[in-house]
Amino acid sequence: MPPTPWYECYFTADYWTFADDEYTAERTAAEVAYLADVLATHAPGRRVVDLGCGVGRHAVGLARKGFDVIGVDVSGYALRRAASAADAAGVTLDLRRVDLLGAQPPGWGLPDVDAAICVQAFGWGTDADQLRLLRAVRRLLPADGLLILDHSNVLAIARHYRDEARADIGGTAFHFQRRYDPATGRSSGRVEVRRPDGTTAVLPDDVRLYHPTEVATLLTRAGFAVARTDADFTAGATLTMDTRYVQFVARPAPTVASALDGHRAPAPPGPLPGDGHAPGPLDLRAAPDEAGPVEPALAAAWAALPAGPAAIQRARRYDLADPYAGQRLAPIVAAYLRWPPGRQLPPERVTAGAGATGLLHALARLGDGGTVLVDVAGHPELPGATGGQVRATSLRDPSDAVAAVTQHRPVLTVVDRPGLLGPMWTGDQLRRVAQACATVGSVLVVDETLGAYLPPDQSAAPLTEELPGTVVIRSMSKGFCAGGLRVGYAVAAPDLADVVRQVAPPLAVSALALDLAAALLTQQDPLAALRDRIAQVKPYVEEQLIAAGLTPLPTDPRLPWLVLPGDDEVRRILAARGVLAKQVPSLAPGGPPGALLRLSVPLSEARLAAFTAAFAAPTAAVAGSAAGGPAPADRR
């Protein structure tokens, strides 16, 4: 069995003999009044969990004020006293014995709660323990839940700290022997207890004393947004050097939806257009017909791979000598992305990952605890995985991005190139943003997942030669229609090469998948046919939307979708025509869940005909476009 944690040996009847003298009825009443007022004003309901409830001095008081309280503590003695106190007060408490630093929420077995309080019960473990605890509480609370976290301010304690002290309470003598270590922030030692009957006990004492800013940082890293701080259980009181107890009133920070959410919508009723059955709703949330123009490139890549026993041996290959696939991919990537003449791409600067998603999740670790700057219409994977504070603003214009970097001083800045909206930044514009990031020490992550649709020579990856602190992410899914390979790669500036590999897992891509990805990238321009089809069809689709009273937002003309505002009128027009669009949530905290609607451009003949039928365009125009005749833009 694991050893008993020191704090379980500390919170005994002897400890409470001393604590009862300090926690007077008047002090408890004042603290309960503060807690009840904050909970009644800010919590979404009245079910509260008291973390480290002790003998129930707050839990009982809150229950008497009408709150439904669950009390959790590691001390069996304290819980028995809490039960007795509840009986004496005529209230009901749900009391549970749990080691909050040893178990996670599934082990706590708690029902849904609206709020959590933690008063004089913070600091018994390590910093990592406290962070795990706060993250567990974050998962326990609803999106609009509330946390009141109280802690002892080391600034006030240090003014009166003594290595040795004695006290006599009711005939019980206490001898405190301890030492505060500024290097660790811990006060450690022992308490010798001599009871009235002459028996003795020794209590271990080892507590982390925090500066308020340290607690604020832990809360932010755990996923909370601090609403305010109060001093000594007085709402609105300003913290000073002499504030003994600090209360943080915090809510769960807004979460960023996963990119997978857009793919989890229920299937539309009835068969899809073009599948040989009666027509149903036109589902433009995804683009299954992108694969058609890319099919020859995929077939050629497969044909380049050996078959039979040789293929089986490749499936068994385990590239321990090249765990990040840099040696394999670097020369191929350099040739595909048109690396500057006379320059080489060193293998250590290329890191393969499980798609762009895997690489973005890995790089999110670089922002743990700091500010991450993203575009409000950006891809959610990295900001959704970070433990830092997400700042979402419009980064479509480089000048706005430079201003936002200067203002927020982020640890990570993430830009999509091209983004969902607006034009793609030029190399000079990207240099301006990279320089702003370098000035504040921010890593610049350029997500070129969508850049696969563009000609290879337009990638920003070669700019990493001259832009320190920059990493470019690319993927084999978008455009290549090979998402099942789960192959992405990061090209890092020289100063970030080691940093990327410190957070990215090795051997994240199978050797067989890398073989096919390499065969695709070795081709001169495998997506030229797809680009041509997008250029032919997208203007026509945009014309039909405008004719129907819809106003598409600016997008790069080479991307195979159009974006519409997500307002009720737009939804009504689409619904009337049986068209399903993908909802794109805003990354801005509190942003509406469907702020934008994305419609994939129908590229196949069947889906384009279904789109034309939905928007009642002339049949002849559709036939000409679907047959590969003059581009729709030529018939305006």
Side-chain angles (χ1 to χ4, degrees):
M1 293 182 63
T4 302
W6 75 266
Y7 43 83
E8 190 168 352
C9 302
Y10 181 70
F11 294 110
T12 62
D14 293 312
Y15 164 83
W16 284 104
T17 297
F18 180 84
D20 287 340
D21 183 69
E22 180 180 354
Y23 297 139
T24 64
E26 294 77 14
R27 171 176 168 175
T28 296
E31 293 174 359
V32 168
Y34 165 86
L35 295 169
D37 179 67
V38 175
L39 291 168
T41 303
H42 299 289
R46 301 184 72 83
R47 173 165 282 189
V48 180
V49 58
D50 185 352
L51 304 170
C53 67
V55 296
R57 63 192 193 94
H58 300 114
V60 170
L62 290 174
R64 294 179 68 176
K65 291 180 177 291
F67 290 91
D68 182 4
V69 184
I70 304 167
V72 177
D73 203 281
V74 71
S75 170
Y77 168 82
L79 290 173
R80 289 190 293 273
R81 279 193 51 184
S84 298
D87 290 341
V91 298
T92 300
L93 295 179
D94 181 353
L95 298 172
R96 305 179 182 221
R97 186 174 186 180
V98 177
D99 180 2
L100 293 171
L101 297 183
Q104 293 299 295
W108 295 358
L110 301 181
D112 294 338
V113 297
D114 302 300
I117 65 171
C118 183
V119 180
Q120 287 301 288
F122 190 75
W124 310 130
T126 64
D127 290 352
D129 291 331
Q130 314 307 328
L131 183 58
R132 281 193 296 269
L133 171 63
L134 291 175
R135 284 176 171 164
V137 177
R138 169 66 182 83
R139 293 192 294 271
L140 182 68
L141 292 176
D144 58 349
L146 189 75
L147 169 64
I148 305 175
L149 175 65
D150 164 78
H151 84 96
S152 297
N153 179 11
V154 68
L155 296 175
I157 293 174
R159 289 174 178 264
H160 308 287
Y161 191 91
R162 298 291 182 271
D163 289 345
E164 190 169 353
R166 297 178 183 272
D168 191 295
I169 299 173
T172 300
F174 296 87
H175 182 196
F176 297 87
Q177 303 170 69
R178 56 198 174 185
R179 178 181 175 274
Y180 176 69
D181 183 358
T184 63
R186 302 199 73 87
S187 173
S188 304
R190 52 189 270 154
V191 183
E192 296 178 353
V193 182
R194 180 173 293 277
R195 307 183 186 101
D197 63 2
T199 59
T200 61
V202 176
L203 308 181
D205 187 4
D206 182 16
V207 63
R208 172 72 156 92
L209 299 176
Y210 284 103
H211 188 289
T213 57
E214 294 178 304
V215 178
T217 298
L218 288 172
L219 284 166
T220 298
R221 291 182 62 191
F224 283 96
V226 176
R228 74 170 197 244
T229 55
D230 294 327
D232 293 324
F233 297 93
T234 302
T238 302
L239 271 59
T240 70
M241 296 277 287
D242 295 315
T243 298
R244 178 64 173 79
Y245 300 104
V246 179
Q247 295 77 51
F248 285 88
V249 180
R251 292 191 183 279
T255 57
V256 177
S258 168
L260 295 176
D261 290 350
H263 304 283
R264 290 172 175 154
L272 294 176
D275 65 358
H277 299 83
L282 177 57
D283 189 352
L284 297 182
R285 294 173 299 182
D289 48 1
E290 284 183 25
V294 188
E295 195 69 33
L298 284 169
W302 275 111
L305 301 185
I312 295 175
Q313 292 303 317
R314 282 180 176 244
R316 290 173 174 165
R317 196 172 75 230
Y318 198 50
D319 287 333
L320 291 174
D322 190 18
Y324 296 99
Q327 295 177 29
R328 178 75 189 283
L329 287 181
I332 297 173
V333 167
Y336 181 75
L337 299 181
R338 316 298 194 264
W339 219 251
R343 301 293 296 270
Q344 290 186 336
L345 176 58
E348 62 269 17
R349 289 174 52 195
V350 178
T351 299
T357 297
L359 289 166
L360 290 168
H361 269 253
L363 290 175
R365 292 176 56 192
L366 300 179
D368 190 20
T371 298
V372 178
L373 183 65
V374 297
D375 184 63
V376 290
H379 195 280
E381 282 308 323
L382 191 154
T386 184
Q389 182 180 21
V390 176
R391 292 280 188 181
T393 186
S394 176
L395 300 182
R396 275 182 278 172
D397 185 278
S399 296
D400 293 339
V402 170
V405 168
T406 303
Q407 175 186 356
H408 298 297
R409 303 182 66 84
V411 176
L412 282 176
T413 301
V414 187
V415 298
D416 298 82
R417 184 179 183 269
L420 182 71
L421 299 173
M424 185 177 78
W425 290 353
T426 66
D428 287 341
Q429 290 173 325
L430 191 60
R431 288 184 182 92
R432 288 174 52 201
V433 177
Q435 179 58 49
C437 290
T439 300
V440 302
S442 174
V443 172
L444 175 60
V445 177
V446 182
D447 184 355
E448 286 193 346
T449 304
L450 307 182
Y453 291 108
L454 278 56
D457 61 358
Q458 295 191 20
S459 171
L463 294 178
T464 58
E465 294 279 350
E466 58 179 276
L467 300 179
T470 302
V471 57
V472 176
I473 303 290
R474 292 184 67 89
S475 168
M476 300 298 294
S477 56
K478 292 289 190 294
F480 288 89
C481 303
L485 288 181
R486 304 311 308 134
V487 177
Y489 57 92
V491 180
D495 63 320
L496 280 186
D498 289 341
V499 174
V500 170
R501 292 192 174 185
Q502 287 170 10
V503 296
L507 300 167
V509 183
S510 73
L512 193 57
L514 279 171
D515 287 342
L516 186 56
L520 277 168
L521 293 174
T522 302
Q523 299 179 32
Q524 183 69 20
D525 188 358
L527 303 182
L530 175 61
R531 262 196 315 280
D532 290 344
R533 184 59 176 166
I534 294 170
Q536 183 184 49
V537 176
K538 185 173 180 177
Y540 166 74
V541 173
E542 185 170 13
E543 287 178 355
Q544 302 310 306
L545 294 176
I546 293 173
L550 301 171
T551 305
L553 300 173
T555 59
D556 190 293
R558 297 162 294 187
L559 298 179
W561 59 70
L562 291 152
V563 179
L564 298 170
D567 57 60
D568 292 341
E569 179 62 15
V570 171
R571 294 172 187 271
R572 184 193 66 77
I573 293 174
L574 295 177
R577 286 163 172 75
V579 174
L580 299 176
K582 178 180 177 180
Q583 294 190 11
V584 181
S586 170
L587 291 181
L596 299 172
L597 297 175
R598 195 188 79 180
L599 282 76
S600 294
V601 173
L603 299 175
S604 68
E605 294 184 11
R607 283 166 60 83
L608 184 58
F611 173 84
T612 300
F615 285 87
T619 304
V622 179
S625 173
D634 294 338
R635 295 191 299 271
R636 294 183 181 178

